[in-house]
Structure formats: structure tokens, C-alpha cells
Amino acid sequence: MILTGMQRGGMLGIVVFPSNTFSYHVAVGILFIASSILVGYEMIMSGSYSWVAVRRIPFSFRYIAAETRAWFGLWPPMKESISYDPATKRYKEKLIPSAIVVWWAFVILGWVLVPTGLALAFPTQFAFIYSIVDPIGMALTGVGGYAFMVAVHRLATVFLLLLVFMHIYSTFIYRLVQSIIIGYRHEPVA
Ligand code: HEM
């Protein structure tokens, strides 16, 4: 989605794709919407949503603040958060709590990219999205309509790219690559 979108926005030239891929952007975009709905449904039905639930966001921010203080040496190192109770065979905590905020950041970017994408691809059917976004565009920039919609869509992509690159970076500094490939936890525990 990032690459085909960037090609459409004229940011790639013909280096990555020799021909126009724009139809794939819209087709895969629709598949992306369908799979996000399925994943969301599965997370709620299986109960795994509870690990990233809205009510846990403040806890996640507190953990990030404590991690930051520890990073600067103002606080003792953070305790290992993931814990498992062998008696009940249940996790007491399944996440490193900072991951909750990151998960929501991805969700929010999806909530921006999907409606703006739909409004760009099907302006007649999704005219109501313009009526919501136009006043914001006019107030902030003096521009509404298609132009502002593309700008929001592009800005969300920039944030998405940042988040993706931060993740690639952290998989290396937290030495997660081996665990990702073989499925057993290999990263060092504090
Ligand atoms: C992960 C999700 C997505 C990403 C990363 C993404 C990224 C991009 C980018 C970078 C552009 C170029 C913007 C520009 O011209 O500056 C673009 C354009 C576009 N996207 Fe997406 N997009 C996503 C989802 C969607 C979805 C779900 C749809 C609709 C089904 C969609 C429809 C469009 C359309 C119609 C344009 C053309 C805008 C124009 O006229 O230039 N996008 N997208």
C-alpha cells in the first residue's frame, strides 16, 4: 500500500514498479479493509483484545514514562512485564505495556487511511466523508475537497512509515529477530 500509493503520489518514479500500479492500490486497499475487520472481530471474540483494550492505555503511558526515566538512568531498570501462571496456564501479562500505545497508533492511522482512501477512490458514494473533512481543511489550510483529502492520506502514510521504521529498528536493538523467525523467545530479559 505504501509503495503503490507513493507511486501514485509521484514519489517513486519508475524505479520500483515499471508500470502503473494504481489499480492494485485500490484493490488491495479493499482487501486491507476486509482483513482488518476480520482481525478486529477475531481479537474481540477470542478475548485477545483485552491485552490492548482502551482501558489499558493510561497504564501503557505510565510504563513508557517509567521506561524513559530508566533509559536516562533516573530510575532502576524496568522489571520484566510478561508473566505466565503455570498453575492456571494463563498469562498474567502478555505484553510489554508500551506495545499497547503502539497498537493504537496503528489502529488510528488505519482509521485515517481507510475513510480518506475510500473518499478518494469513490467520491460520489463516500460524499459524506468530504462533508466531515472539508470544514477541518478549510479551517486549517483554506483548502478542502480532493486536495485536502489527498494531503491527509499522504500525511497518515508518512506517520505509518515512521512507525514501521521504528519497529524495524526496535526488532534489531531489542534482538527480536531470532524470536520472530523461530517462534521461541530468545531476546534477553531485563
Ligand atoms: C495502509 C493503507 C494505505 C496507505 C499506506 C496508502 C498510501 C497512499 C499514498 C502514499 C498515496 C499517494 C498520495 C499522494 O498523492 O500524495 C495514496 C493515494 C491514494 N489512495 Fe491510498 N493508502 C492506503 C489505503 C487506501 C485505501 C484503503 C484506499 C481506498 C480503497 C486508498 C485509495 C487511494 C486513492 C484513490 C489514492 C489516489 C489519490 C490521488 O488522486 O492521488 N488508499 N495512498
Side-chain angles (χ1 to χ4, degrees):
M1 292 306 286
I2 290 172
L3 290 176
T4 55
M6 283 173 72
Q7 186 194 35
R8 167 73 175 200
M11 289 168 265
L12 285 185
I14 54 161
V15 186
V16 179
F17 305 119
S19 53
N20 191 321
T21 55
F22 184 61
S23 54
Y24 295 92
H25 189 78
V26 177
V28 179
I30 292 166
L31 290 178
F32 171 77
I33 296 171
S35 49
S36 314
I37 294 171
L38 277 178
V39 170
Y41 176 77
E42 191 278 339
M43 283 184 77
I44 291 169
M45 296 314 280
S46 69
S48 62
Y49 168 77
S50 63
W51 297 111
V52 291
V54 179
R55 67 186 152 72
R56 299 191 79 212
I57 292 176
F59 161 60
S60 178
F61 274 118
R62 282 199 303 278
Y63 190 88
I64 292 173
E67 267 181 321
T68 311
R69 285 193 297 261
W71 177 269
F72 286 107
L74 307 168
W75 205 262
M78 300 303 299
K79 275 217 213 78
E80 166 63 21
S81 55
I82 298 175
S83 59
Y84 182 75
D85 182 358
T88 58
K89 294 195 171 157
R90 279 178 186 276
Y91 277 97
K92 285 188 264 177
E93 176 56 66
K94 209 171 181 177
L95 297 178
I96 295 170
S98 29
I100 298 167
V101 165
V102 178
W103 189 82
W104 279 102
F106 275 116
V107 171
I108 290 166
L109 287 177
W111 283 341
V112 174
L113 282 161
V114 165
T116 52
L118 286 171
L120 291 168
F122 311 102
T124 319
Q125 292 82 351
F126 291 95
F128 73 93
I129 299 177
Y130 287 92
S131 34
I132 298 168
V133 174
D134 277 359
I136 304 171
M138 293 309 287
L140 290 177
T141 64
V143 179
Y146 201 87
F148 185 68
M149 203 65 85
V150 174
V152 177
H153 200 70
R154 184 188 281 206
L155 187 65
T157 305
V158 172
F159 283 120
L160 183 68
L161 262 174
L162 270 175
L163 216 53
V164 168
F165 277 114
M166 278 164 65
H167 265 78
I168 295 175
Y169 174 72
S170 30
T171 52
F172 282 96
I173 63 160
Y174 292 113
R175 291 192 250 156
L176 298 167
V177 180
Q178 216 183 341
S179 320
I180 291 170
I181 296 169
I182 58 181
Y184 288 100
R185 201 169 169 201
H186 264 251
E187 69 268 24
V189 169

